[in-house]
């Protein structure tokens, strides 16, 4: 994968880099020659990821262990990267919940809004401004197949992803004149730590490295990318239905993914 170093380099910041899709982005970017700042809560896992990546590629890695559910955690990331020449930001940290919203624990639901939306807003604001000032760069936001309609039994998670999708579409137009590309990546089910934390059961999944590669290839070319054949198939079959129809189909899909509960 060739990513324009002049435009997006020399350093990339990846949140959610300790697992799944974020970790896959970190590997792909290291292979493309980017220096890395890796963010997640589990510092020891990040250290391991950084060691493994530095052993394979001739790049520098730095780890910031921070909880993005809190504004202090977000500020930690901002403070730790003040003097880095960051050209690419991948905001992959996030999680989901499932089951009927009113049966869930409200603290978990609010924490999900903090990580999936509030931290994304604050980091996009801070780094979007920095990238616009240097007149080049890229911002990758993790949306989802669930972002395009309401989804029963993961209603609040789908709503957080609708926020991310909408934010990316708006920012793409605002930042493009300043030389900054924004892409929303909207995968279907991906094989990662996500399903376990969200208590969902996924059948077929797309590997995280496919998501990372196809998203980076779309940066600067598309506003929204649906990585993997599964998200394309599901996305296209839903695209021809009116919104109410999509909600019904997703209700059946999510019913299947949560019937073990
Ligand atoms: N997997 C899917 O099916 C799928 C589909 C569509 C979209 N997505 C989106 O893709 C993104 C990545 O998901 P994934 O599949 O890679 O999940 P994952 O394997 O569970 O990884 C999530 C990452 O986010 C980090 N994270 C979670 N809470 C955090 C917090 N409070 N502060 C800082 N970091 C935090 C985790 O690290 P620590 O635990 O170390 O903090 C981990 O590195 C999410 O935004 C998700 O909504 C996933």
């Amino acid at each position: 994968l060739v990513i324009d170093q002049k435009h997006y380099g020399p350093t990339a910041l990846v949140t959610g880099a300790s697992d799944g899709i974020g970790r896959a982005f970190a590997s792909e970017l290291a292979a493309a020659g980017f220096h890395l700042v890796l963010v997640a809560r589990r510092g020891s896992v990040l250290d391991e990821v950084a060691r493994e990546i530095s052993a394979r590629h001739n790049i520098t890695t730095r780890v910031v262990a921070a909880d993005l559910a809190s504004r202090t955690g977000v500020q930690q990331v901002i403070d730790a990267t003040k003097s880095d020449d960051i050209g690419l930001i991948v905001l992959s940290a996030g999680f989901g919940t499932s089951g009927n919203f009113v049966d869930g624990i409200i603290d978990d639901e609010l924490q999900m809004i903090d990580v999936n939306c509030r931290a994304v807003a604050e980091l996009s604001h801070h780094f979007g401004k920095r990238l616009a000032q240097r007149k080049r760069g890229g911002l990758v936001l993790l949306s989802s197949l669930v972002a395009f309609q309401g989804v029963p039994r993961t209603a609040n998670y789908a709503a957080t992803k609708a926020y991310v999708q909408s934010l990316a579409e708006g920012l793409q137009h605002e930042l493009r004149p300043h030389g900054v590309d924004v892409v929303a990546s909207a995968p279907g089910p991906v094989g990662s730590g996500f399903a376990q934390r969200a208590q969902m059961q996924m059948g077929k999944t797309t590997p995280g490295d496919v998501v990372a590669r196809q998203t980076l290839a779309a940066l600067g070319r598309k506003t929204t990318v649906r990585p993997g054949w599964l998200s394309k198939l599901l996305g296209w079959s839903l695209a021809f239905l009116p919104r109410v129809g999509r909600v019904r189909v997703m209700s059946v899909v999510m019913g299947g993914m949560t019937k073990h509960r």
Side-chain angles (χ1 to χ4, degrees):
L1 180 69
V2 181
I3 315 165
D4 185 355
Q5 270 279 352
K6 275 208 198 85
H7 196 79
Y8 303 117
T11 304
L13 173 96
V14 182
T15 72
S18 64
D19 209 349
I21 298 171
R23 186 173 178 155
F25 267 103
S27 293
E28 292 298 329
L29 288 167
F34 283 76
H35 302 299
L36 295 174
V37 180
L38 306 174
V39 180
R41 289 169 303 177
R42 292 169 296 166
S44 56
V45 181
L46 285 178
D47 286 337
E48 207 176 286
V49 173
R51 253 197 312 277
E52 187 208 291
I53 288 177
S54 324
R56 282 189 290 127
H57 307 287
N58 188 24
I59 53 121
T60 61
T61 51
R62 207 145 52 74
V63 157
V64 182
D67 185 352
L68 298 177
S70 75
R71 290 203 71 185
T72 322
V74 174
Q75 194 58 45
Q76 250 174 285
V77 176
I78 292 173
D79 290 344
T81 51
K82 281 253 154 68
S83 52
D84 292 306
D85 190 11
I86 291 176
L88 184 62
I89 291 100
V90 179
L91 301 181
S92 187
F95 71 97
T97 59
S98 68
N100 288 326
F101 180 64
V102 294
D103 298 332
I105 298 162
I106 189 59
D107 285 349
D108 293 348
E109 301 298 330
L110 295 178
Q111 191 190 44
M112 184 169 64
I113 296 174
D114 285 338
V115 178
N116 293 10
C117 304
R118 193 195 40 72
V120 170
E122 197 168 353
L123 293 171
S124 299
H125 182 265
H126 174 79
F127 287 104
K129 195 175 246 177
R130 271 171 64 171
L131 295 183
Q133 277 161 0
R134 76 205 276 278
K135 295 279 173 219
R136 65 201 160 87
L139 176 63
V140 176
L141 301 187
L142 264 296
S143 170
S144 167
L145 180 73
V146 302
F148 303 96
Q149 64 286 300
V151 184
R153 276 169 291 278
T154 191
N156 191 32
Y157 172 64
T160 69
K161 292 291 141 177
Y163 168 83
V164 172
Q165 177 66 34
S166 180
L167 183 71
E169 288 172 11
L171 288 184
Q172 202 271 341
H173 275 255
E174 289 184 13
L175 292 173
R176 180 89 195 173
H178 300 283
V180 180
D181 298 313
V182 181
V183 69
S185 178
V190 178
S192 71
F194 178 88
Q196 197 189 352
R197 190 169 178 195
Q199 294 184 42
M200 292 176 191
Q201 268 177 355
M202 293 177 179
K204 285 205 175 359
T205 56
T206 301
D209 55 350
V210 172
V211 175
R213 272 199 298 276
Q214 293 191 6
T215 302
L216 291 169
L219 186 63
R221 295 188 175 88
K222 286 180 179 179
T223 306
T224 300
V225 56
R226 295 175 181 275
W229 63 268
L230 195 57
S231 68
K232 281 187 187 66
L233 183 76
L234 292 170
W236 277 111
S237 45
L238 290 170
F240 298 103
L241 292 173
R243 201 167 167 117
V244 285
R246 295 207 298 271
V247 176
R248 281 212 195 97
V249 172
M250 288 307 287
S251 177
V252 174
V253 171
M254 202 44 70
M257 284 166 70
T258 56
K259 69 170 185 291
H260 62 289
R261 297 198 48 188

